[in-house]
Structures are given as C-alpha cells and as structure tokens.
Amino acid sequence: MSAPPCSKRRKFNEDALVAHSHTDKSHHKEGINYANDATDLLPNRNWSLTSVVADDLLTSKEAIGLVEAVAADICSKKDASKVLQFVGDVVPLKGMQHLKRLRKVDNVLQVILFVGTKDLHAKQVQEFKTLMTGKNSSSMISNTYKSFFKEVNDMLGKVFLTFIPTKPPLTRPQFEMCKKHWPVSFHEEKAITSLLNCSMFSKMDYIQMESHMRNAIKTVYFGKALNKDLSMGVVIVDPSSNDTIACAFDMRNISCGLANGCTAKHPLNHGVMVAIDLVARSQGGGTYSYTPYLTNSCAVGQGLYYKSTNYQTSAQRMHNTCKEISDATPQCDSTKVDALSVSYICTGLDVYITREPCVMCSMALLHSRVRRVFYGASHAEGALGSAYKIHAMKTLNHKFQLSFRVLTFLLNAFILRYVTKDILGIVNVRLVLLYGTIIFMSREAFRRACLSTETSSSADKGGHSKALYWSQTINLLWCMIPVGLVCMVLLIYCWAYLFENPDPLAVPYYGIAVLVFGFCAWIELFAEPLWIIGQTFLFVKLKVISEGLAILVKTIVTVLLVVWYPQWGLISFCCAMVAFSITYIAVYYGYFFWFITSGKVKQIEDFPIHSVRDFFPKLHLDVPLVNVNAAKLTVSFFKQSVLKGLLTEGERYIMTVLNVLSFADQGVYDIVNNLGSLVARFIFLPIEESFYLFFVKTLKRGEDANQQTPNQMIAISHVLFCLLRLVVLIGSTILAFGIPYSYLLLDIYGGTILSSGTGPLLLKFYCLYVLVIAINGTTECFVFAAMSQNDVENYNKKMLLFSFLFLTTSYYLTILVGSVGFILANCLNMLARIIHSIIFLKRFYKKSRISSPLHGLIPRPVVLVTLAVSFLICSFSESQLCCDRGWIFRVVHISVGAICLCAVAVSVFYFEREVVTFLREQYFSKSAKNQNERVSATNST
C-alpha cells in the first residue's frame, strides 16, 4: 500500500502514516490497548483496525497550529475590499494561503490584523495582550492598533484577540476544528482519508490479516513453553503472494548458535530482531543458528520458521511495488532490478506482531524497509504509537550530528588562521596520535568483549542473578583504568624522551602538552562503564550528544584561546583538550545520575543499575570478581587491537617514529588528507554500502557468471557497469576540476597556512587518489559479494600483505618526494587491490556470454574530451586569474569553472544515457517511492 502523496499546501512526513488500535474492552485506556500480549484477540473476531498516524494528521490544536491573533471589526461591508487590500499589503500573512483573511460573525465582517507566530507578528500580539491586562479602555486599545493602518483606520471598529489555525487542515476532522476558530480553505486528500478509516483494505485483506495474526499468536504459545517471562510472536509476510517468509518469538533467554560454533544467549534477540535475522537467513545470510527450534512450512506458527526465497521472488516483489507507482515511473518493468530497494532485507514485506515493538525493534523494521506493520496489543513503552512514533520522526540524530560537524568544520577553518604549521603538525599528528593510542589500546578490547557477551539476561548458565552478572562486567570494565595507566606512562615516556621533540624556542610547552593529552586520554576511561551500559541499552542520542557537545566545547575553547592568547601556543590546545574530557565525562555521569534519581530507570524493564553505587566496582566473596568469559575475550581482542591500531594509524606512526617529515609538513598533510577524505566519505561510501548489500542478496557466492541465473546476471552486470561508469565520471570530474582549483580551495578554507608550501600539490595528488579509491571501492563491493568463503580468507591474508607493503612504500616514497609520498603509496596500494579485483572479475565472466561490466571503466570519448578541454581551460584560467589579484579575479576564475562544469554535465547527459537512466531509476525516482512504501497498522480485540 502506498502512502498518500505529500500535500501541496503543507508538507508532512509520509513515513508518519502508521496505525494504532482502539477497543471497547477493559484493556482500553485513553484509546490505547494496554494488554500484555495479543492472545486476547483469538477468542473474539470482532476486532477493528486503526491507523497510527503522525501527529500532523491528528485532530488537535497542535496539528492545526492554533495560535493567538489580533483581529478587528470592519465598520461597513462596502469598505471590506479596500480594507482587505490595504491590510494584505501592509501586513501580509506569508505561508498561510489556506487562511481566509475575512470572516462574518453576526452579520459583521472581521479581518485578521496580526498573527502571533515567531515568523510573523508575535511582538504585536504580545503588546496587545499586555494592553488588555492593563487598565486601558477598549477605545485606547483600538486607537493604538488602528495607528498601524492610517489609511483605513476610520473603517476599523473594535480590535480583539482571537485564535486562528496557522497550518492547513489535512483531514476533514481538522477542517471542522479549524472552522470553529476561523474559516479556512480545504481540499480533501482521498488517500489520507482512506488511510485514516482503513477503507483501502478489502474483505479478503481482513481475512488474511486475521490469519497471519493468529499464526503470530500461536508462535507466542510456542515461545512461552521455552521462555515464560518474555513473549512476543512475529510473522513476516510477502503481500504479493501472501506467503509467510519468517515466523519468530522472543529468544532473549534462549541460547542460539553463533557463527563460530558456540552457543549463547543475547540480550538483543527480541522477537522482531530474530524474525529479521530469519528473513536474512532465507536470503542466504543471517547471524544465528536456530536449528533446535525451527519448524517446517506445514507448521507455521508452531515455532521458528523461514522460507527459502530466490532472486525471482525478490525481483517480482519489486516489480509489484513498481506497478503500484507505474504512473510516476512508466519505464519500470519486471526485468529491471531496483538495486537500492532490493538491497534492504524486508523491502515490500508486511510484519504482524502480537505486541507493539520497542524502540530498537521499531528502528530495525524501519531500516529493513518493511511495507507495513500490524500489531495487536499496545505497550506502554512501544515505539509505534504509545511512547513514541518512530515511523513519524522526520529526523533522528542526523540533523543533530550534522549541525555539530558543520559548526566544528567552520571553527576549525577559523583556527587555521591563528596557528603556525609546526603547532598544527604537533597537535594534529603527534599529540592526537598519543591520545588515540592510549584510548585505543586501553579500551578497545574491553568494549568488544563486553558488547559481545550476554550481560542483561535474567540468569546466566550458573544461575547467577542478572545484577551479579552486570556487577562482574562492571568490575571488568574498571580494570581498564590500571591498564590505561600503564599505557599512559609508557607512551608518555616514548613521546617525551624517545621521539624527536620540537625546538622549545619555536614551539614551547611540548612536554606539558604530552602530559596533558596523555592524562586526558586516561581520565576519559572513567566514563567507559557508563558508555557500555548506554550502548547495551540503546541510549543512542546520549552518545551523539556527549561526543558532539564535547567536540563543540573543545573547538570553541580553542578558538577563544588562540585568538585572545596567541602566545600560549600548545597551552591553548591543552586547555581545549581538558575541556573536552570534562564535558564528555560530565555528560555521561550527569545523565545517568539524573536517569536514576528521577525514577526514569523504572521505565526500562531489564535495566540492571538501580543506584549510582552500581556503576562502581563491588567485591564478591563467593563468586569470581569479574565476568570470566568476557575477561578471556578481552585478552584475545587485545592482541588483535595492537595489530589493528598499527595498521589503522600507520601513516602517523611512520611520521612520528621514523621522523620522515617535518612537523609543519605533517600538519599540512593531515589537514589536506581530512579534506580530501570528505569526498570518499559522503559520496562513494554510501554507494558502496548500498550496492554491496544488493550484490550480496542477488549473487550466489563461489559461483561464476555462467552458474548464476541468466536474467539475474544480466541485471547485475548492468548495475555494475553503470556503477563503474558513474564513479569514474565523478572521480574524473573531481580530478579535472580539483587540480586547477586546489590552491583556491585551500586558500579560502585555511588561508596561507594551507595554500603556501606543499598544500596545493598534496590536494592535486589527492584528487587522483579520489579517482583510484572510487574504482577500488566499487569493484571490491562486487568482488566481496561474489567470493566464496575460501576466497575471502585468502583475500584477508593478501590484505595484510598489502598493508605492510603500503607502510614500506610510504616510508621510502616519503623520503624521496616528501609528504606526497604518502598519497602515492596509497594510490599504489589501491591499484594493487584494483588489479586483484579485475582479475577476479575476468575469471568470473570468463565462460559467460554476458558482456563484461569492466567496460564501464572507460567513459565515452566525447565526455573524456570535454573533461580534458575543461581541465586545460581551468588551468589556463588559474594561471591568469588566480589567486593573488584580488577577489574579482577569483570570482571570474570560479565562473569559468562553473561554465566548464555545466559543459561536462551536458555531455554526460547526452552521451552517457545509460548512467543518466540508472540515476533516474535508482535515486531521483526513489524519494517518493521509499517514502510511500512504509505504512504500518495495528489490530486489536
């Protein structure tokens, strides 16, 4: 079922169209069913279906935006048109086209003068209210406000306060509510109306709904036999065929198999999570093994179940979805695969749940791209209508995170104008590496171990209580404090005495800075137990706020100190680092202190911490002091962490330990490297992640193209061809325009500290690196999806070899050509991986008649010529106009680049039709489609 289109008069979130049930039974409370589960549905078939919609569609004052306004009587009807025209010109009501400015009450016309919204006339309305509360007569009030409209003041009578709806009504009940306050225009959206009254469902739909919900209820009974404390039944259905794809129940207290052959209980195995994992298993994936509890297709609702699907089933599902919006995308046909949609696990599927899901499960359903959700009983902490409406949230953390990042990005650009290159290199490379190494070596192994083991079940294998289990885990987490102390002492000694120190006359206070950065890394470990608890119980926004706020405070303190006290040098960055650590720790401890003392802790059923004392170590006499299993995992993960840390920060370790670059060159390289990586992070990474999932879902691992389904391979090859051509075009465009505009970009962002010296040369070479990583990422996302398990294991060994070769070439190339050597070493590393992927692709398509998608690596000749000419023109423009002749010449240089970029875009549009069509199908026509696919509903007694 597609959600109704967005209103032309006021936008609302289509994802907010879900459902919620009401009943006349005793379970009903304020319109919400608070039954413990949906087993009460079974005896009584007189159930109803109600949509849980966004607040925008409710009949409430908030939904219609009711605010105070100042209005006045019009003395004579013949003056109405003149008054209306004058008032509209002097005080226009912008954005309120739905609102009628005039109304008639008891044969008297009235006109709106001011509307009390922040964007319009809040000040005037507040002044009017102040006058009303005083001792002023009504005539004085009228005269005060008629002075705004001198030309028509004789035509206005009594001035008064009223309420008006600032948002257009979307439903008929909203329209009726609006009319009670002020007349508005209304055009009924049939799709919204049918959603609210559920009239889009046929009798057959209701029969199928009841059948699937009965299966979900049967699953509850099966789950209760194994797990009496927790009960939830989930059935996932393909609506195109009415087939049951998966059937699951809550398994938090039930052991299941892991990929490494072990068995364990997991706190996150809610019924919905298990069901989604079973759908993944039906598609060749999945994380857990549920063999002891699986049933066959003849016994759906009697245990865990999943149906093995094939590519044609997924493609047909997408074809059916495409049919629903064929008027919008008439070019859609069944032979084309919607890669971005198929790449999600539950695209187009309906979910039936006996009880309203929690926040975690609701987010999992949202990210799995389910079509609709039907749930039986509401729950006080449910996230699809009771406590939250996850599906109706326009944004979660993305806007919050983006705001922090944009602000800190701009503030960092400001800082660059007040520091030297040497300080930049010492802080961004030397000191940050010290801080990161202490943090990583001290906490990485503990984090991975404690998040990988069961810590919130009601009992462990030995029968110990949940509180004891958590207490042992917290004791283990506090062990990172002495581990961190040892790491801090050893590494501070190395940084202060073994590695080269800067000239104390040029960069003073280096020793103090090493001590401060090392101590701050260690002190942040005191917040780690709280971080683990926050992650385990999904306090996602707490993590975002704590880290984002700490970074913001750090950046602001740095800006203020480098501007006010430039002579302080490294001391300014030390103060900022202290501010970061204090803010980070304070947010975590402050939040959890409030969370416990305010009683919020009682709202989470499984939360094991009941007092602030529980966050700290406790002595246990009769049982082990720490969680033994987690302790063993910690030791194992620590060995891996050492190698991972060396490979991840290889470049910085080479700079620090081997001293191949000056501090100034280190600082400039780090900034340029961070700027260049933005392209890969925001453009290429999302493409790779989406289409890797698509390839994983549609390819049979370990089989070449000749062994795959023919229609499947045609679609996959077309997608890979278009992907390769797309990323090559993007990378080539960045290369063609990045080289002649590198100097200008760095000068605008960081001033002379970046634009002078090696900065522009580094960015020019990085533009080449962007093209290389674009090709590598796209080819590898296919190769990793097609490799067999043995191929993957062999490739992991090759990757280790590639990493060591990269570190070796980085050292020698940097000695030969300076900081550019790091970029060249990265390019060589990526080229080696590209060659490996090309060899794999050639072998994969060797026996197939399908044309190899590797042809996508070479754009059309006309496009290549356009890019080459644009590069030459922009390079000539740079030599003549940029960048020491003032801003007028810079603007002209930018204009030349804009014209050339338009020429490239036109050539791509006309000569790369396959890519243009691919983009239109996969992206530009996706926004409305994805928004319209997810509609959830509930059914109750």
Side-chain angles (χ1 to χ4, degrees):
M1 178 186 67
S2 298
C6 188
S7 170
K8 294 181 180 179
R9 288 162 287 123
R10 174 163 62 95
K11 291 185 177 181
F12 64 94
N13 187 6
E14 294 89 353
D15 290 349
L17 306 179
V18 201
H20 137 87
S21 61
H22 59 77
T23 175
D24 295 331
K25 298 293 182 182
S26 59
H27 294 304
H28 180 57
K29 180 180 179 181
E30 300 178 357
I32 299 177
N33 185 357
Y34 279 86
N36 291 329
D37 56 52
T39 53
D40 298 331
L41 293 172
L42 198 53
N44 189 354
R45 295 188 181 183
N46 295 325
W47 53 272
S48 61
L49 191 69
T50 309
S51 296
V52 177
V53 296
D55 292 340
D56 286 354
L57 299 179
L58 299 178
T59 306
S60 64
K61 295 179 180 179
E62 293 76 15
I64 63 174
L66 207 62
V67 299
E68 292 178 311
V70 176
D73 293 338
I74 298 178
C75 297
S76 175
K77 293 182 180 179
K78 65 180 181 180
D79 297 327
S81 59
K82 185 175 181 180
V83 170
L84 185 62
Q85 181 178 356
F86 183 81
V87 172
D89 293 338
V90 175
V91 190
L93 301 182
K94 297 179 181 179
M96 296 189 185
Q97 290 80 4
H98 67 287
L99 192 65
K100 296 181 180 180
R101 192 105 194 207
L102 292 179
R103 75 172 179 181
K104 188 175 182 180
V105 178
D106 296 331
N107 208 31
V108 176
L109 291 178
Q110 297 175 340
V111 61
I112 298 175
L113 301 181
F114 301 107
V115 177
T117 62
K118 293 181 180 179
D119 298 334
L120 294 177
H121 324 115
K123 180 179 179 182
Q124 288 83 354
V125 173
Q126 186 59 41
E127 289 176 352
F128 182 83
K129 292 175 67 176
T130 303
L131 289 171
M132 290 285 290
T133 57
K135 297 181 180 180
N136 304 286
S137 66
S138 59
S139 61
M140 290 178 61
I141 296 173
S142 299
N143 291 332
T144 299
Y145 273 81
K146 284 189 285 187
S147 64
F148 280 89
F149 313 99
K150 294 180 181 179
E151 295 187 17
V152 295
N153 59 359
D154 294 334
M155 305 176 189
L156 298 178
K158 178 184 177 182
V159 183
F160 58 92
L161 198 65
T162 186
F163 288 89
I164 60 104
T166 59
K167 298 177 182 178
L170 298 172
T171 66
R172 183 157 294 281
Q174 286 185 356
F175 174 61
E176 297 299 331
M177 175 179 278
C178 289
K179 286 198 306 181
K180 295 179 180 178
H181 299 282
W182 199 273
V184 295
S185 58
F186 173 61
H187 302 283
E188 187 174 11
E189 295 279 3
K190 299 295 184 182
I192 295 178
T193 302
S194 64
L195 173 73
L196 291 174
N197 59 27
C198 298
S199 60
M200 78 287 289
F201 296 113
S202 64
K203 291 183 179 179
M204 181 56 67
D205 290 333
Y206 277 92
I207 293 173
Q208 292 175 352
M209 289 176 196
E210 182 166 343
S211 174
H212 295 311
M213 186 58 76
R214 286 177 181 272
N215 284 336
I217 295 170
K218 292 177 184 177
T219 306
V220 172
Y221 288 124
F222 185 90
K224 279 187 173 181
L226 300 171
N227 184 7
K228 296 181 179 179
D229 297 330
L230 301 170
S231 62
M232 172 185 282
V234 184
V235 172
I236 299 182
V237 178
D238 183 351
S240 64
S241 61
N242 201 36
D243 290 337
T244 298
I245 305 300
C247 211
F249 51 82
D250 200 309
M251 293 192 66
R252 276 177 280 180
N253 290 344
I254 304 173
S255 296
C256 55
L258 302 174
N260 58 7
C262 302
T263 59
K265 303 173 185 178
H266 202 287
L268 303 185
N269 274 347
H270 294 208
V272 170
M273 306 301 289
V274 175
I276 294 175
D277 192 55
L278 287 171
V279 175
R281 181 164 292 277
S282 74
Q283 299 164 1
T287 302
Y288 296 97
S289 173
Y290 309 99
T291 303
Y293 314 106
L294 290 175
T295 185
N296 55 42
S297 58
C298 298
V300 174
Q302 299 299 317
L304 298 183
Y305 162 75
Y306 69 87
K307 177 181 179 180
S308 178
T309 61
N310 53 32
Y311 170 80
Q312 284 78 11
T313 302
S314 299
Q316 184 63 37
R317 192 165 76 234
M318 293 314 306
H319 173 59
N320 292 337
T321 303
C322 193
K323 278 184 177 180
E324 296 179 5
I325 57 170
S326 57
D327 293 337
T329 55
Q331 70 274 20
C332 182
D333 64 70
S334 60
T335 62
K336 294 182 180 179
V337 181
D338 192 332
L340 289 182
S341 294
V342 175
S343 63
Y344 294 97
I345 293 176
C346 298
T347 299
L349 300 181
D350 287 349
V351 182
Y352 293 82
I353 313 173
T354 57
R355 188 179 69 181
E356 184 180 1
C358 65
V359 174
M360 176 187 70
C361 295
S362 301
M363 283 301 300
L365 292 170
L366 193 69
H367 287 304
S368 299
R369 300 298 194 267
V370 297
R371 184 173 181 241
R372 296 178 301 207
V373 172
F374 300 84
Y375 66 82
S378 297
H379 190 270
E381 298 174 10
L384 291 181
S386 297
Y388 307 99
K389 292 182 179 179
I390 289 290
H391 58 286
M393 291 184 178
K394 296 179 176 62
T395 58
L396 294 170
N397 293 318
H398 304 89
K399 183 179 293 186
F400 190 82
Q401 289 176 298
L402 183 61
S403 301
F404 271 132
R405 292 183 177 182
V406 170
L407 183 56
T408 53
F409 180 80
L410 296 176
L411 291 175
N412 284 329
F414 181 79
I415 292 172
L416 292 174
R417 288 163 168 79
Y418 290 88
V419 296
T420 65
K421 292 182 180 180
D422 287 327
I423 290 180
L424 197 63
I426 292 170
V427 173
N428 285 3
V429 178
R430 179 68 68 88
L431 296 178
V432 169
L433 181 62
L434 170 65
Y435 168 85
T437 303
I438 295 173
I439 288 286
F440 190 83
M441 295 300 179
S442 303
R443 77 183 183 190
E444 179 69 10
F446 288 93
R447 279 187 173 186
R448 294 177 63 187
C450 293
L451 291 176
S452 299
T453 56
E454 165 64 58
T455 54
S456 63
S457 61
S458 59
D460 65 6
K461 294 181 180 180
H464 300 307
S465 68
K466 175 177 60 179
L468 175 61
Y469 203 89
W470 257 109
S471 180
Q472 291 174 320
T473 301
I474 290 177
N475 286 349
L476 176 64
L477 288 170
W478 281 97
C479 291
M480 74 174 67
I481 302 301
V483 173
L485 183 62
V486 173
C487 291
M488 180 190 72
V489 173
L490 292 176
L491 292 173
I492 285 179
Y493 176 80
C494 294
W495 257 250
Y497 298 103
L498 299 184
F499 303 149
E500 180 189 14
N501 289 1
D503 184 358
L505 297 178
V507 184
Y509 313 117
Y510 172 75
I512 296 175
V514 169
L515 290 173
V516 171
F517 272 73
F519 180 77
C520 287
W522 179 68
I523 204 70
E524 286 176 28
L525 298 177
F526 284 81
E528 201 60 21
L530 284 71
W531 186 93
I532 292 292
I533 293 171
Q535 289 298 105
T536 303
F537 291 93
L538 303 175
F539 291 86
V540 179
K541 186 167 270 189
L542 173 62
K543 177 178 180 291
V544 175
I545 293 176
S546 61
E547 295 178 358
L549 187 62
I551 292 173
L552 183 62
V553 169
K554 172 186 174 183
T555 308
I556 292 175
V557 171
T558 305
V559 169
L560 296 177
L561 292 182
V562 297
V563 173
W564 292 345
Y565 305 101
Q567 71 277 9
W568 283 14
L570 292 176
I571 295 297
S572 300
F573 293 91
C574 292
C575 295
M577 195 68 228
V578 171
F580 173 91
S581 299
I582 292 175
T583 304
Y584 179 79
I585 296 173
V587 169
Y588 266 101
Y589 276 94
Y591 176 82
F592 277 110
F593 179 80
W594 166 83
F595 186 76
I596 293 173
T597 56
S598 65
K600 293 283 186 180
V601 65
K602 298 178 182 178
Q603 298 179 3
I604 300 182
E605 180 182 355
D606 297 330
F607 200 74
I609 307 299
H610 303 288
S611 67
V612 177
R613 176 68 183 85
D614 293 339
F615 285 116
F616 298 93
K618 292 182 179 179
L619 182 63
H620 305 292
L621 299 178
D622 300 329
V623 294
L625 189 63
V626 299
N627 185 335
V628 177
N629 292 332
K632 293 178 180 179
L633 277 176
T634 302
V635 176
S636 177
F637 283 137
F638 185 80
K639 301 173 184 177
Q640 299 177 18
S641 299
V642 174
L643 180 61
K644 180 181 176 181
L646 291 174
L647 295 178
T648 303
E649 298 290 350
E651 294 177 356
R652 294 188 178 186
Y653 283 118
I654 290 176
M655 295 180 194
T656 300
V657 178
L658 301 179
N659 193 29
V660 293
L661 293 178
S662 65
F663 290 114
D665 288 339
Q666 291 179 28
V668 174
Y669 172 80
D670 184 74
I671 295 294
V672 172
N673 184 54
N674 289 334
L675 287 174
S677 64
L678 293 176
V679 176
R681 187 182 310 161
F682 292 108
I683 297 180
F684 298 125
L685 185 60
I687 294 175
E688 294 167 16
E689 290 178 344
S690 295
F691 286 94
Y692 170 72
L693 291 174
F694 165 68
F695 291 135
V696 165
K697 183 174 276 190
T698 55
L699 283 170
K700 299 176 184 177
R701 283 191 176 275
E703 298 181 2
D704 60 27
N706 199 41
Q707 297 172 304
Q708 308 278 348
T709 307
N711 290 338
Q712 173 184 355
M713 279 313 305
I714 293 173
I716 292 173
S717 299
H718 175 71
V719 169
L720 182 57
F721 171 87
C722 293
L723 272 183
L724 289 172
R725 183 64 57 84
L726 174 64
V727 298
V728 168
L729 288 172
I730 296 174
S732 300
T733 303
I734 291 172
L735 179 63
F737 290 91
I739 292 177
Y741 285 90
S742 293
Y743 181 92
L744 181 60
L745 174 63
L746 292 178
D747 193 64
I748 292 174
Y749 179 71
T752 56
I753 192 173
L754 294 182
S755 60
S756 62
T758 60
L761 180 63
L762 285 170
L763 189 56
K764 290 176 181 179
F765 274 92
Y766 207 97
C767 293
L768 173 63
Y769 179 53
V770 166
L771 174 60
V772 176
I773 60 175
I775 298 173
N776 175 70
T778 306
T779 53
E780 283 192 345
C781 79
F782 177 90
V783 169
F784 289 160
M787 281 181 172
S788 65
Q789 186 64 35
N790 290 333
D791 291 334
V792 173
E793 292 176 359
N794 291 333
Y795 187 74
N796 288 335
K797 298 176 183 177
K798 296 176 184 177
M799 282 290 293
L800 187 61
L801 176 62
F802 289 154
S803 299
F804 281 112
L805 289 176
F806 160 70
L807 295 177
T808 304
T809 53
S810 297
Y811 173 71
Y812 287 105
L813 285 175
T814 307
I815 293 176
L816 291 175
V817 296
S819 52
V820 175
F822 282 114
I823 299 177
L824 293 177
N826 274 306
C827 289
L828 293 175
N829 183 34
M830 292 296 115
L831 284 173
R833 292 164 62 174
I834 290 172
I835 293 172
H836 177 274
S837 298
I838 290 176
I839 293 173
F840 180 91
L841 281 165
K842 285 185 174 294
R843 187 171 66 248
F844 183 85
Y845 282 95
K846 185 177 181 180
K847 299 179 181 180
S848 175
R849 297 180 181 179
I850 301 174
S851 177
S852 174
L854 291 174
H855 296 297
L857 291 172
I858 305 176
R860 304 286 182 185
V862 176
V863 178
L864 290 176
V865 171
T866 307
L867 285 169
V869 172
S870 298
F871 167 72
L872 294 175
I873 293 174
C874 291
S875 298
F876 179 78
S877 172
E878 181 186 31
S879 64
Q880 300 299 315
L881 304 174
C882 191
C883 287
D884 55 356
R885 301 179 63 181
W887 271 102
I888 295 179
F889 288 92
R890 292 187 176 197
V891 172
V892 175
H893 178 48
I894 294 173
S895 302
V896 170
I899 294 172
C900 291
L901 185 60
C902 291
V904 172
V906 170
S907 68
V908 169
F909 182 80
Y910 283 103
F911 295 98
E912 296 287 358
R913 300 302 300 175
E914 292 170 310
V915 176
V916 174
T917 303
F918 176 76
L919 283 173
R920 185 183 296 117
E921 292 175 353
Q922 304 301 329
Y923 289 98
F924 300 121
S925 64
K926 285 296 299 173
S927 55
K929 180 178 176 182
N930 279 342
Q931 296 290 337
N932 290 338
E933 276 183 348
R934 296 190 299 276
V935 178
S936 305
T938 65
N939 52 354
S940 64
T941 310

